[in-house]
Amino acid sequence: MNFALLLLSLFTVVELNCENLFDTANDSLKNDDEFLPSSAYHWTPSRYWRKVNRIGQAILSCGMLDSANVVPDLIALTEVENDTVMHDLAKRSLLRRAGYEYVMTDSPDQRGIDVAMLYSPFAFRLINHHSIRIPSFRDFRPTRDILYCSGEIITGDTLHVFVVHAPSRSDGEAATRPYRLFVADRLCAAIDSVRAVSPRARVLVMGDFNDYTGDKSIAQIENHRLQDVSAHARGTHGARGTYRYRGDWGSLDHIFCSEALMERFRECHINDAPFLLEEDKKYGGVKPRRNYQGPKYLNGFSDHLPLVAVFNW
């Protein structure tokens, strides 16, 4: 097969936590006060547009294949605030010529952050989408909805996509672990509903699970006949995970595939292009070039690196 035909047969998906992609307007129904021009973060329109374009730049760089540029077909995004942000990213940023459409959730998360999916209508014809609400659980704060999308791919088959942003560890890993297991249960139940109709369904699950490979919620999903194709993903410029905490690399971000989809799987890697990294002066090596460290503006991209998975159709 020549290189041009190979490019046409590839299907590229990306997962990225955007690190607080908020607009600069106050939402009186959400706790978004940190990201306003008058806040300690000084989240001004110029900083906002720089951030939007840098997320676009990060996404476009995930399309590199050898010496050729391809546009990623599906992009799962977490930590995006609202429709305004997604419209600006898809239609007004560096991505505007890619022709992306998008869908997103409208979750009860107190800060107002949601999950979304960008997709190229030339590679994925959207059939259906809806949010899966996570019921109240003990005394925990409401968390993000799971986004479900189905669409027709170039082969005529249906691809089922779930985008997840599981509850954080901010109150301690052990204390919040039951909440992440609860979300994993809800995800697996939704996948069961798809399989009840189509036992050989091609299922793709992507997102920030706030757990690492080997943790209970990840094992729970894998035990549900889904393979974590990102478990051993690495970068080519020093990244051994999508996230670095106190000098240790790890991946809170994951991409899972059903058995039927694994038949089409080619490879998964971390996009650690040099412009997405900076020197880690405290622990050595490199780390993601994030946008903020507390209220200190660092003029970066995100504290997470993108995951990229490639499939052959």
Side-chain angles (χ1 to χ4, degrees), residues 1 32 115 171 208 232 292:
M1 180 184 292
D32 64 350
V115 303
D171 294 327
D208 179 350
H232 304 291
Y292 275 92

Side-chain angles (χ1 to χ4, degrees), residues 125-296:
R125 184 179 68 83
L126 186 69
I127 298 171
N128 184 28
H129 71 93
H130 62 263
S131 296
I132 301 170
R133 183 60 47 90
I134 306 300
S136 299
F137 181 71
R138 299 182 183 174
D139 57 350
F140 289 103
R141 297 183 296 272
T143 192
R144 280 73 59 173
D145 294 351
I146 298 171
L147 176 63
Y148 165 74
C149 306
S150 63
E152 183 181 349
I153 55 179
I154 196 168
T155 60
D157 296 308
T158 300
L159 179 65
H160 303 270
V161 185
F162 294 86
V163 183
V164 180
H165 187 186
S168 77
R169 299 174 165 216
S170 59
D171 294 327
E173 187 280 324
T176 55
R177 186 187 308 150
Y179 204 5
R180 288 188 293 281
L181 288 169
F182 182 68
V183 170
D185 273 338
R186 188 70 185 91
L187 169 66
C188 291
I191 294 170
D192 283 342
S193 297
V194 171
R195 285 174 168 162
V197 177
S198 178
R200 287 274 299 163
R202 290 186 167 93
V203 179
L204 178 65
V205 181
M206 303 187 284
D208 179 350
F209 291 80
N210 273 305
D211 269 332
Y212 300 102
T213 300
D215 286 338
K216 288 187 175 181
S217 72
I218 304 303
Q220 182 175 348
I221 296 168
E222 290 180 303
N223 289 338
H224 215 69
R225 294 162 37 217
L226 290 160
Q227 184 163 337
D228 184 356
V229 299
S230 57
H232 304 291
R234 297 292 184 267
T236 56
H237 295 93
R240 299 190 300 276
T242 59
Y243 185 77
R244 199 174 194 206
Y245 180 67
R246 294 181 179 175
D248 293 326
W249 285 102
S251 288
L252 299 170
D253 308 275
H254 301 269
I255 297 177
F256 299 90
C257 297
S258 63
E259 298 127 313
L261 188 56
M262 284 302 300
E263 296 170 2
R264 300 288 186 173
F265 174 70
R266 176 173 173 169
E267 62 96 9
C268 184
H269 66 273
I270 296 167
N271 176 11
D272 63 345
F275 70 86
L276 295 173
L277 301 171
E278 65 180 359
E279 180 186 0
D280 190 333
K281 296 179 180 178
K282 184 173 183 179
Y283 295 102
V286 293
K287 62 182 180 180
R289 187 180 168 192
R290 63 186 302 162
N291 207 36
Y292 275 92
Q293 184 76 52
K296 183 181 179 181

Side-chain angles (χ1 to χ4, degrees), residues 18-26 32-55 79 81-82 85 88 111 290-302:
C18 296
E19 188 200 348
N20 295 318
L21 185 51
F22 281 80
D23 65 19
T24 62
N26 182 39
D32 64 350
D33 294 348
E34 282 183 337
F35 287 91
L36 298 174
S38 59
S39 74
Y41 284 67
H42 302 294
W43 190 237
T44 60
S46 63
R47 289 184 175 184
Y48 166 71
W49 279 108
R50 189 176 297 119
K51 170 81 170 183
V52 168
N53 278 308
R54 288 196 159 168
I55 294 298
E79 288 198 19
E81 185 184 14
N82 52 33
V85 166
D88 288 343
R111 296 181 63 229
R290 63 186 302 162
N291 207 36
Y292 275 92
Q293 184 76 52
K296 183 181 179 181
Y297 181 59
L298 302 177
N299 192 20
F301 291 79
S302 173

